């Protein structure tokens, strides 16, 4: 079996994006577009992956890590010049090389594999990945002979009126015999208006030498989208979002409105979970089976247990147990850990706290920097006062404690097992187990006070 190599072109700045972020680092469904490309290539079992970097090289390398080797294109002198930079790493190796642009995150690994297989079966020196589109304006056209062989690739500006009617276009993804590629690259000239070295010129050079150049057409034109501006970025996001949704639905997830649901490329969702409209599942979130998410919930880099409901709420970088209810209108902030059978109700905010099994905070409470045991009840309006103006402090509430409505727990403080805090209390001292804490002014009624006030 011959070796397979991959070259990813990721050196361009992407001026049409009008952004401080380098083009290939713009995310599509939560992941940088070039990371999608590298991941898809990784499924091919390539012996080596070489990414050509230029603008933002350090950021690109930091993003991709050890998933690729890197070569710097110091001057952007065209696509052929970019590929030529990989010669010092793989130029003298035998095998097949696939070249993919770093701004084409929608090309599936299965399509890449079919391209490589077609290339090898045809015994070609070069194979072009093509696609058909009703509006080929701006694309290079693939001109075939009577028997279907590729005669040439014609750019839009050079095409005759007849050639401009051709709907098969060059996607910019190629397969080459590796040695033939780097030999031909040495013969590419830059005698064009831009003074650049273009990779498609390699095709003409190989044909002139009598080598076979073929093409493989993908059935899905959307795969070939190259992202050059925010408009195409939005279209790529739409296509991938629906593709991700379809994959989850085929694996047993119900998505009420795929067009109005966002799921990141790295999210995992269990079967029989229902995603309602407006749900945003971001980052590396893991959602269990039988859950109900939404409507209008945002879950980012979190773990959600089986049969849990997150209704119109936000969960960020936290863990939520099984059979738990969150919301509506709750906010679970980073580093929170909610146990099983927990209830976090409307307008409750939890921050960097553990909340034990069976505990409840039904409404209008703030719980920050707290360790809460099991079967604890927080009454409406309970506030964990965790900040003294300089430092955050921890509050501990042990199992089966009952915190009455409108109570303030001023940290650092401990509420013992089974203890009660009377409604309206401000607690500043530790409360022993099975004790009642009352920290409020004694009520005094002044008879006839209002009548006397009106007389004056």
């Amino acid at each position: 079996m011959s070796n397979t190599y991959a070259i990813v072109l990721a050196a361009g700045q992407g001026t049409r994006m009008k952004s401080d972020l380098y083009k290939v680092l713009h995310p599509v469904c939560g992941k940088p577009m070039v990371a999608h490309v590298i991941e898809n290539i990784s499924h091919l079992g390539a012996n080596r992956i070489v990414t050509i970097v230029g603008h933002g090289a350090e950021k690109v390398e930091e993003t991709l890590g050890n998933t690729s080797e890197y070569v710097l294109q110091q001057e952007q002198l065209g696509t052929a010049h970019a590929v030529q930079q990989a010669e010092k790493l793989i130029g003298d190796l035998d095998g097949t090389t696939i070249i993919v642009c770093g701004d084409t995150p929608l090309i599936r690994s299965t399509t890449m594999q079919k391209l490589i297989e077609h290339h090898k079966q045809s015994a070609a020196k070069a194979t072009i990945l093509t696609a058909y589109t009703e509006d080929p304006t701006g694309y290079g056209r693939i001109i075939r002979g009577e028997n279907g062989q590729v005669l040439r690739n014609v750019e839009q500006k050079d095409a005759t009126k007849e050639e401009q009617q051709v709907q098969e276009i060059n996607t910019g993804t190629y397969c080459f015999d590796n040695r033939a590629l780097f030999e031909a690259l040495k013969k590419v000239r830059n005698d064009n208006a831009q003074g650049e070295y273009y990779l498609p010129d390699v095709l003409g050079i190989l044909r002139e030498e009598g080598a076979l150049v073929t093409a493989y057409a993908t059935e899905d034109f959307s795969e070939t989208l190259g992202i050059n501006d925010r408009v195409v970025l939005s279209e790529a996001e739409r296509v991938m979002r629906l593709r991700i949704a379809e994959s989850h639905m085929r694996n047993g997830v119900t998505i009420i409105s795929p067009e109005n649901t966002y799921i990141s490329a790295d999210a995992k969702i269990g079967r029989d979970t229902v995603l309602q409209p407006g749900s945003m599942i971001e980052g590396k979130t893991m959602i269990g089976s039988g859950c109900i998410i939404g409507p209008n919930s945002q879950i980012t880099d979190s773990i959600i247990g089986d049969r849990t409901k997150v209704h119109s709420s936000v969960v960020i970088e936290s863990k939520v147990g099984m059979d738990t209810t969150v919301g509506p209108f709750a906010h679970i902030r980073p580093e929170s850990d909610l146990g099983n059978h927990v209830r976090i109700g409307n307008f409750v905010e939890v921050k960097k706290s553990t909340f034990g099994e069976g505990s409840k905070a039904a409404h209008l409470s703030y719980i920050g920097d707290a360790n809460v045991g099991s079967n604890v009840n927080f009454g409406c309006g309970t506030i964990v006062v965790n900040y003294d103006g300089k430092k955050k402090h921890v509050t501990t509430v042990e199992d089966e404690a009952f915190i009455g409505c409108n109570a303030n727990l001023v940290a650092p403080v401990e509420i013992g097992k089974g203890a009660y805090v009377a409604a309206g209390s401000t607690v500043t001292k530790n409360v022993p187990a099975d004790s009642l804490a009352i920290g409020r002014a004694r009520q005094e009624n002044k008879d006839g006070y209002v009548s006397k006030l009106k007389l004056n």
Side-chain angles (χ1 to χ4, degrees), residues 72 93 111 113 153 167 172 183 190 205 210 230 240 254 262 266 274 304 310 321 349 367 399 409 430 448 453:
L72 178 65
L93 302 178
T111 299
Q113 188 62 53
N153 172 77
Q167 294 182 321
E183 285 300 317
N190 67 338
I205 292 170
R230 306 285 183 140
M240 184 166 287
T254 295
Y262 174 96
D266 293 325
V274 178
I304 309 297
V310 180
E349 181 176 345
I367 301 160
D399 298 348
L409 308 181
N430 293 345
L453 185 67

Side-chain angles (χ1 to χ4, degrees), residues 360-395:
K360 300 177 179 64
H363 26 232
L364 298 165
S365 296
Y366 172 73
I367 301 160
D369 297 284
N371 296 319
V372 179
S374 61
N375 299 311
V376 171
N377 183 82
F378 279 78
C380 178
T382 297
I383 304 297
V384 173
V385 186
N386 60 332
Y387 185 50
D388 64 5
K390 293 183 180 180
K391 299 172 66 174
K392 301 288 179 67
H393 299 278
V394 174
T395 294

Side-chain angles (χ1 to χ4, degrees), residues 303-325:
I303 299 174
I304 309 297
D306 296 341
R307 300 174 301 281
T308 283
K309 300 178 181 179
V310 180
H311 180 193
S312 303
S313 297
V314 176
V315 181
I316 307 293
E317 297 174 11
S318 293
K319 181 179 179 181
V320 180
M322 297 185 293
D323 302 293
T324 287
T325 300

